C-alpha cells in the first residue's frame, strides 16, 4: 500500500513563527503536492513538485514556500505564520504517468494564534 | 479554466436509502474524472475514477458514469450504510499541467440508523 505520512496531526503556532510541515511518501512517486482544506472552499493547491529540487506554484502560493531535496520528502514552509493560515494542510503524491490518481496523507491541522 | 461544481451538503439519509451526489465539470478536451472520499479524521482516498466518455467507475457499491454530453459525473449508491458517512469530493485531472487535479468543494454525507 502507498503510504503518505505527515509529521504532525495537530500543530499550534504563534503569529510570526516560522512553521515547517513535513511530508514523506514511500512509493517513489515523482509528483508531490501541498493543499489546504477550508470549509466551503474544498481543496486549494498551494505548491507542487514534479521532481527533486523542482517546484511550481499552485493557486494560492502567497505566504508559503516549499523544499524538495529528496524524492520522498516534500516540505511546506510558512515563513511568518499568520492567523489566516489556520487550516487543514494535506500532502499528496502521484506517479508521473498515472491517470492523475493522488494518494493523500492524513493531514495536519494547523492553528495560528 | 478547469472547474468542478458539486451539490452542497450536508446530505442526510437514513440507512439503506438511495444516494445521488451531483457533480458537473468544465474543461476543454478529455479530462479524467474522480470521486474521492474523506472519512472523519483522515486524508482523502480515491473511491472511483473514469478516464473517458461513457466509462463507469465503481467501487464499494458506489458508481459514477462519465457523461460528456452533460459534462457530469454523478455519484450513486443503491443502499447507503452508516459507515458511508464521510465527505465526498468530485475531481478532474487534465493533461498538460504536471497532472494537477481540480477538486470540488466537497459534499458531506451523514447516514443515520
Amino acid at each position: 500500500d502507498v503510504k503518505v505520512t505527515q509529521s504532525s496531526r495537530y500543530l499550534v503556532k504563534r503569529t510570526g513563527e516560522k512553521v515547517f510541515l513535513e511530508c514523506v511518501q514511500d512509493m517513489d512517486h515523482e509528483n508531490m503536492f501541498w493543499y489546504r482544506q477550508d470549509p466551503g472552499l474544498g481543496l486549494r493547491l498551494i505548491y507542487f513538485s514534479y521532481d527533486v529540487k523542482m517546484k511550481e506554484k499552485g493557486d494560492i502560493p502567497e505566504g508559503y514556500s516549499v523544499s524538495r531535496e529528496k524524492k520522498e520528502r516534500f516540505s511546506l514552509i510558512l515563513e511568518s505564520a499568520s492567523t489566516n493560515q489556520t487550516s487543514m494542510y494535506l500532502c499528496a503524491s502521484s506517479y508521473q504517468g498515472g491517470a492523475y490518481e493522488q494518494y493523500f496523507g492524513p493531514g495536519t491541522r494547523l492553528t495560528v494564534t | 479554466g478547469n472547474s468542478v461544481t458539486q451539490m452542497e451538503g450536508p446530505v442526510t439519509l437514513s440507512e439503506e436509502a438511495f444516494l445521488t451526489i451531483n457533480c458537473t465539470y468544465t474543461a476543454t478536451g478529455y479530462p479524467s474524472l474522480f470521486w474521492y472520499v474523506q472519512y472523519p479524521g483522515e486524508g482523502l482516498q480515491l473511491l472511483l475514477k473514469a478516464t473517458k466518455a461513457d466509462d463507469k467507475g465503481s467501487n464499494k457499491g458506489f458508481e459514477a458514469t462519465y457523461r460528456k454530453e452533460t459534462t457530469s459525473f454523478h455519484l450513486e449508491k443503491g443502499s447507503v450504510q452508516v459507515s458511508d458517512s464521510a465527505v465526498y469530493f468530485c475531481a478532474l485531472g487534465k493533461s498538460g499541467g504536471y497532472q494537477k487535479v481540480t477538486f470540488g468543494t466537497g459534499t458531506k454525507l451523514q447516514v443515520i440508523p
Side-chain angles (χ1 to χ4, degrees), chain B residues 21-43:
Chain B
I21 300 178
N22 291 335
C23 171
T24 57
Y25 68 89
T26 302
T28 56
Y30 303 94
S32 295
L33 300 174
F34 306 87
W35 278 100
Y36 282 81
V37 59
Q38 184 179 34
Y39 297 104
E42 299 182 13

Side-chain angles (χ1 to χ4, degrees), chain A residues 41-53:
Chain A
L41 297 176
L43 274 69
R44 293 180 291 168
L45 181 65
I46 304 171
Y47 267 97
F48 66 102
S49 169
Y50 52 91
D51 201 353
V52 174
K53 297 191 186 295

Side-chain angles (χ1 to χ4, degrees), chain A residues 9 31 33 35 37 40 42-43 45 48 50 90 94-102 104-106, chain B residues 32 34 36 38 41-44 46 49 51 89 93-101 103-105:
Chain A
R9 292 301 298 268
N31 300 328
F33 307 83
Y35 295 90
Q37 182 181 11
L43 274 69
L45 181 65
F48 66 102
Y50 52 91
L90 294 170
S94 72
Y95 286 113
Q96 195 76 271
Y100 311 100
E101 177 178 346
Q102 296 189 2
F104 283 82
Chain B
S32 295
F34 306 87
Y36 282 81
Q38 184 179 34
E42 299 182 13
L44 279 70
L46 182 68
K49 66 182 180 185
T51 56
F89 291 89
K94 185 70 174 68
S95 61
Y98 295 110
Q99 300 187 326
K100 286 166 59 178
V101 173
F103 289 88
T105 53

Side-chain angles (χ1 to χ4, degrees), chain B residues 60-101:
Chain B
K60 299 182 181 180
F62 291 89
E63 293 183 339
T65 301
Y66 188 161
R67 301 283 188 203
K68 189 164 175 60
E69 64 276 12
T70 54
T71 61
S72 65
F73 193 55
H74 304 321
L75 182 68
E76 296 182 336
K77 186 175 186 183
S79 175
V80 294
Q81 305 300 311
V82 172
S83 57
D84 294 326
S85 297
V87 181
Y88 293 82
F89 291 89
C90 186
L92 72 82
K94 185 70 174 68
S95 61
Y98 295 110
Q99 300 187 326
K100 286 166 59 178
V101 173

Side-chain angles (χ1 to χ4, degrees), chain A residues 1-94:
Chain A
D1 273 356
V2 174
K3 195 163 186 183
V4 180
T5 57
Q6 296 183 228
S7 51
S8 306
R9 292 301 298 268
Y10 300 94
L11 209 52
V12 180
K13 295 292 182 180
R14 293 192 181 275
T15 300
E17 279 193 86
K18 191 169 186 175
V19 182
F20 293 86
L21 302 182
E22 300 279 327
C23 175
V24 177
Q25 51 94 2
D26 67 358
M27 279 301 290
D28 204 35
H29 285 168
E30 294 86 0
N31 300 328
M32 296 189 75
F33 307 83
W34 275 108
Y35 295 90
R36 62 178 283 177
Q37 182 181 11
D38 299 290
L41 297 176
L43 274 69
R44 293 180 291 168
L45 181 65
I46 304 171
Y47 267 97
F48 66 102
S49 169
Y50 52 91
D51 201 353
V52 174
K53 297 191 186 295
M54 305 304 287
K55 60 186 179 184
E56 291 282 338
K57 292 181 180 179
D59 301 317
I60 53 163
E62 297 78 18
Y64 303 94
S65 62
V66 291
S67 173
R68 191 164 181 203
E69 297 296 318
K70 294 185 177 181
K71 191 175 185 179
E72 68 271 18
R73 189 179 297 270
F74 192 34
S75 302
L76 180 69
I77 303 155
L78 286 67
E79 296 290 343
S80 178
S82 63
T83 55
N84 63 12
Q85 293 178 310
T86 292
S87 186
M88 171 69 84
Y89 290 88
L90 294 170
C91 176
S93 68
S94 72

